[in-house]
Amino acid sequence: MKNVLLYGEFNPKSTTGIAYINSNLESSLKYLGYEVTKIIDPRTKDYFKNERIIKKNLNQNEFFKLFFILIFSKKHEISFITISMGNFGLLKTVIVQFFLNIKSKRSYLYVHRGDLNKNYNSSIYKKAIISLILRSSFKVILLSEKFEKNNKIKQIKNKILVLPNALTKYDSELSQRLFNKKIKRKNKGYKIIKFLYCGNIQKSKGIHKIIKAIDETNMQNNFYKIKLDIFGMKFEEINLDFDFINYKGKLETKERLENMINYDCLILASHNEGLPMILIESLSIGLPFITTKVGAVEDLLIKNYPYVCKNNIESIKEKINQFCIDLTKNKNQLNKILINNYELFSNNFKYSIFEKNIRENIY
């Protein structure tokens, strides 16, 4: 039997998009006949400590244990690792990848982010470390053809595989039922419009501007109020001294889609993204979304998608108001958008497509 070694974050140990895709990868490889060995990144322990703000810790004891596990693990056909872009994360990636190259014939590097070029050119240290990681990889997996075309790093010129994110098999099947349920809902006469933010709580995701934009919209509008529920891991503090804005903790993987359909709109305003799972999930269940067009987000937008904002408060407010008008007065037009969104999902981001890509490209 072919075997594979997967290193990284996994559900339910983590709620990140990376964990979701690593778990999806695990399932598809098992289905294709691989014996899968998982090694969990010690970083995930930081996510479940009883602290208000998640801090980056060295987790020295856990890393020593990790090295022993790697040293005494058996030889595998292939292995996977995700690149971390922080200074310490890059060093960790180099060390773990060194062991994976010893313990496997071919090591695949997964790049879940859209800022590989930017980080590569940001400092001499990062350029040196990223170059070493790329040279040591058998193949480099990018999330979008957009990243492949824009890539300027010579080391991966002939190593690139494009493997878009996708829902799991279970979520792909569930999403159709939820989409049908969502699209058939009648206009309920909105006095409160429910917005959802789901992502890491940090400045680069635009969360502070989203909060400010929604508060200003509420102060300027007498017809309805916008309620914002914020889900995600807290990497920094946010100001919650506003009416209708609440932090709800982490949105767990279990029953995630069922919870998401209770909202009227998802909102993101990131400076940078890869291929966000939360937008793929939204496409799949008929949840409209407001987003910036960064990273590979363009791959998730139908032609002339109307709710694309810039990363500033005025633009976010403009798209919030445009969406609210469509929700309350142009529901048929909004439903047409959501049907086209679901078609985009079906054609590109279902589990069956992900599995086909794995079968045809991983060997």
Side-chain angles (χ1 to χ4, degrees), residues 38 50 57 127 134 146 164 178 186 222 233-234 250 255 277 287 314 330 347 363:
K38 287 193 305 185
N50 294 321
N57 298 298
K127 181 172 284 191
L134 296 176
K146 176 182 174 66
L178 295 178
K186 296 180 180 179
N222 295 320
M233 292 185 289
K234 267 192 177 183
K250 286 178 272 191
E255 298 182 351
M277 278 306 309
L287 179 65
E314 288 305 315
N330 302 317
N347 291 337
Y363 53 93

Side-chain angles (χ1 to χ4, degrees), residues 81-248:
I81 187 173
T82 300
I83 191 169
S84 298
M85 293 296 188
N87 288 334
F88 175 72
L90 283 170
L91 186 60
K92 176 189 70 176
T93 304
V94 166
I95 295 170
V96 175
Q97 187 189 50
F98 170 79
F99 285 104
L100 293 181
N101 281 332
I102 293 173
K103 293 298 181 177
S104 64
K105 297 176 183 178
R106 297 176 296 280
S107 178
Y108 289 80
L109 179 71
Y110 230 128
V111 182
H112 284 273
R113 296 166 51 145
D115 57 355
L116 180 62
N117 283 316
K118 181 179 178 181
N119 275 278
Y120 180 80
N121 292 307
S122 65
S123 70
I124 295 173
Y125 167 79
K126 284 194 172 183
K127 181 172 284 191
I129 297 294
I130 291 173
S131 292
L132 178 59
I133 293 168
L134 296 176
R135 283 198 302 269
S136 301
S137 305
F138 173 66
K139 294 288 183 182
V140 177
I141 299 173
L142 303 180
L143 301 179
S144 168
E145 291 180 0
K146 176 182 174 66
F147 295 144
E148 181 180 21
K149 291 174 184 176
N150 294 342
N151 177 65
K152 307 295 183 186
I153 304 175
K154 293 179 181 178
Q155 287 92 331
I156 57 176
K157 185 177 180 182
N158 299 313
K159 290 186 175 186
I160 293 175
L161 289 177
V162 175
L163 186 58
N165 291 341
L167 293 195
T168 64
K169 185 176 182 180
Y170 174 83
D171 283 348
S172 291
E173 293 170 353
L174 172 64
S175 67
Q176 185 168 6
R177 299 195 297 273
L178 295 178
F179 173 81
N180 291 333
K181 180 180 177 181
K182 182 80 171 174
I183 208 75
K184 290 176 182 177
R185 284 185 179 175
K186 296 180 180 179
N187 193 324
K188 57 187 180 181
Y190 295 90
K191 291 186 179 179
I192 294 196
I193 297 175
K194 297 171 65 178
F195 272 66
L196 165 69
Y197 171 90
C198 186
N200 288 341
I201 312 300
Q202 55 194 114
K203 184 178 180 181
S204 64
K205 297 294 184 178
I207 181 59
H208 303 287
K209 293 176 182 178
I210 289 171
I211 291 172
K212 186 66 174 172
I214 285 181
D215 181 59
E216 289 185 7
T217 301
N218 280 336
M219 288 191 294
Q220 295 164 4
N221 192 320
N222 295 320
F223 299 102
Y224 48 77
K225 296 299 179 186
I226 296 170
K227 178 185 177 186
L228 174 66
D229 284 348
I230 300 169
F231 291 89
M233 292 185 289
K234 267 192 177 183
F235 289 90
E236 57 189 62
E237 290 288 358
I238 50 175
N239 184 0
L240 295 172
D241 294 330
F242 303 100
D243 293 333
F244 302 102
I245 297 176
N246 301 287
Y247 174 65
K248 309 285 281 187

